Amino acid sequence: MKLLDGKKCAESLVGDIARKVAGYVASGLRKPHMTIILVGEHAPSESYVKSKIKSCENAGFDSALLRFPETITEAELLAKIEEINGDQSTDGLIVQLPLPKHINQQNIINAISPDKDIDGFHPTNFGRMTLGQKAFRPATAYGICKLLQFYEIPTRGKHCVVIGRSNIVGKPISIMLSNDFDIGNATVTLTHIETPRELLLDETRRADIVIVAVGIPGFVTEDMVREGVVLIDVGINRLEDGRIVGDVDFANVKNKCSWITPVPGGVGRMTVAALMINTLMAYQNNFHLS
Ligand code: NAD
């Protein structure tokens, strides 16, 4: 068993970005700039935002964190997004999810300019990605692809099973891995809560690559996968004792895997690295750089 080390891979990618940015700044351009909107108080969101800001520092980007109270209305938030959409000094905009229940999340995602949508959630980017066109790719799914690429794990012709069909992880990774992309050309089965248990087991037991994003600690057990599987654990679950674990029963499954992601230190780190790649792309688009 070998670890797919998201920390090591992310540091390498961010290091490459920092070198490019240093070159741009030396030529007289401003730094790339990421703006993050955070609504209310939500402990996991605080920690995700902190790691994004830290990564911006490491990449040589400027960043701004705009905090709003839980009571902000949807109209007020939409007005703020409109303002940032028109602000030439911001390249990428993230609205940290989840939002309070009185705000329609999709309305907010739809309001972000597709040119600044570094999360890759806007229908325009999602559509372009699906069609195989240039787009900001959804960050977690893109991060998984970058991790597979870093460790030279082939996907072409492989059988990949994705568990979970969320718009932010399961759906985009299933599309990306089945597309004719560098990291793609796999045969993908997308499973979800309505997949009968027997069918799920049939699929996972003969998969070359299993990607799980369900949010249930220990969901993937030893009996569900075959010897030599590549296992990507997207889950981030906080246990009552404060520990953070993924969706895989790591201790018992790991020895069956050829490769496996740890949690923490796996996909989470790659999500942030992919956001940096997308922000650099937004910046390069703004300044017509290649
Ligand atoms: P979600 O929470 O929106 O939905 C869960 C998905 O799991 C659904 O599509 C559902 O159909 C599926 N599911 C539930 N029970 C199932 C079952 N018994 N069999 C098959 N499928 C089942 O999904 P999400 O937003 O992708 O989050 C999933 C997990 O990934 C969470 O732990 C979340 O915190 C984590 N996450 C991590 C990152 C990261 O950067 N590492 C990013 C996003 C989400």
Side-chain angles (χ1 to χ4, degrees), residues 111-140:
I112 296 172
S113 162
D115 297 334
K116 296 193 197 291
D117 170 41
I118 51 174
D119 262 326
F121 295 160
H122 191 283
T124 297
N125 281 310
F126 205 98
R128 283 190 189 141
M129 177 278 290
T130 301
L131 294 168
Q133 298 174 7
K134 187 178 176 191
F136 296 116
R137 298 184 188 180
T140 300

Side-chain angles (χ1 to χ4, degrees), residues 48 140 163-170 191-195 197 200 212-216 219 233-237 245 247 266-269 271-272:
Y48 298 146
T140 300
I163 315 176
R165 61 175 163 193
S166 70
N167 288 343
I168 62 170
V169 184
T191 66
H192 47 77
I193 190 137
E194 298 292 343
T195 304
R197 180 77 189 167
L200 176 70
V212 58
V214 294
I216 303 172
F219 182 85
D233 188 352
V234 183
I236 301 179
N237 307 296
V245 298
D247 290 345
V267 175
R269 299 293 294 241
T271 298
V272 181

Side-chain angles (χ1 to χ4, degrees), residues 41-63:
E41 280 163 33
H42 181 246
S45 292
E46 291 283 348
S47 95
Y48 298 146
V49 164
K50 209 170 133 192
S51 66
K52 288 168 192 173
I53 291 171
K54 179 87 191 104
S55 192
C56 280
E57 283 168 19
N58 294 339
F61 296 179
D62 282 330
S63 64

Side-chain angles (χ1 to χ4, degrees), residues 223-237:
D223 59 315
M224 288 177 70
V225 294
R226 67 168 183 78
E227 205 69 48
V229 70
V230 175
L231 191 43
I232 309 288
D233 188 352
V234 183
I236 301 179
N237 307 296

